[in-house]
């Protein structure tokens, strides 16, 4: 069974950086897409970035592609999200998720992902 555990959230001032981590277990091969989502209070869950473990192809939402970077350490079963130039509107609970096979080419939709972590809170103050 796939399990995902996020860490690295916290409070930071606007303009700062954070790196989120997601440790995965139960993924038996590299034919998985792993992704980061976030959900702010009163808003829908938003797909931010995805990476196909086999080959490392990435996809980003336009809202974060110039500030966030998704990466993986396959040997450590760990997914990362480097977040730079953080803004107050980035405040949300951040989730990692995974699905079998390739990532979507454009929109990263939560409906496509079967396995989810518990989330980690990111708070950006002005």
């Amino acid at each position: 069974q796939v399990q995902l555990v996020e860490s690295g959230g916290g409070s930071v001032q606007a303009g700062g950086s954070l790196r989120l981590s997601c440790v995965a277990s139960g993924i038996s091969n590299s034919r998985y897409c792993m992704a980061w989502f976030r959900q702010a209070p009163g808003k829908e869950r938003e797909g931010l970035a995805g990476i196909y473990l086999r080959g490392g192809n990435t996809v980003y939402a336009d809202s974060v592609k110039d500030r966030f970077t998704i990466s993986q350490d396959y040997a450590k079963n760990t997914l990362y999200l480097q977040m730079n130039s953080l803004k107050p509107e980035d405040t949300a609970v951040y989730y990692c998720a995974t699905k079998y096979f390739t990532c979507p080419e454009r929109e990263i939709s939560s409906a496509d992902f079967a396995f989810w972590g518990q989330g980690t809170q990111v708070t950006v103050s002005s």
Side-chain angles (χ1 to χ4, degrees):
Q1 183 174 351
V2 175
Q3 292 188 325
L4 305 172
V5 179
E6 304 97 332
S7 62
S11 297
V12 64
Q13 289 192 328
S17 298
L18 281 175
R19 188 176 80 157
L20 305 182
S21 300
C22 173
V23 177
S25 59
I27 293 180
S28 58
N29 60 68
S30 60
R31 292 190 175 100
Y32 279 81
C33 171
M34 295 194 72
W36 288 99
F37 292 78
R38 69 184 177 189
Q39 189 165 20
K43 295 189 176 182
E44 293 186 353
R45 192 163 295 190
E46 176 188 13
L48 303 175
I51 185 167
Y52 185 47
L53 298 185
R54 174 165 291 200
N57 290 341
T58 58
V59 57
Y60 289 92
D62 288 342
S63 59
V64 301
K65 65 180 179 180
D66 295 328
R67 299 184 296 123
F68 292 6
T69 302
I70 190 170
S71 62
Q72 60 160 320
D73 186 332
Y74 187 70
K76 295 183 178 179
N77 298 320
T78 302
L79 178 74
Y80 301 102
L81 185 68
Q82 178 66 43
M83 305 187 294
N84 298 328
S85 302
L86 284 162
K87 307 174 182 179
E89 50 264 44
D90 294 318
T91 295
V93 178
Y94 284 70
Y95 299 89
C96 70
T98 190
K99 63 180 284 291
Y100 186 66
F101 211 47
T102 56
C103 293
E105 292 186 2
R106 294 182 181 178
E107 182 181 0
I108 307 165
S109 172
S110 60
D112 295 332
F113 287 78
F115 303 100
W116 293 83
Q118 82 289 347
T120 186
Q121 175 71 45
V122 172
T123 302
V124 184
S125 58
S126 57

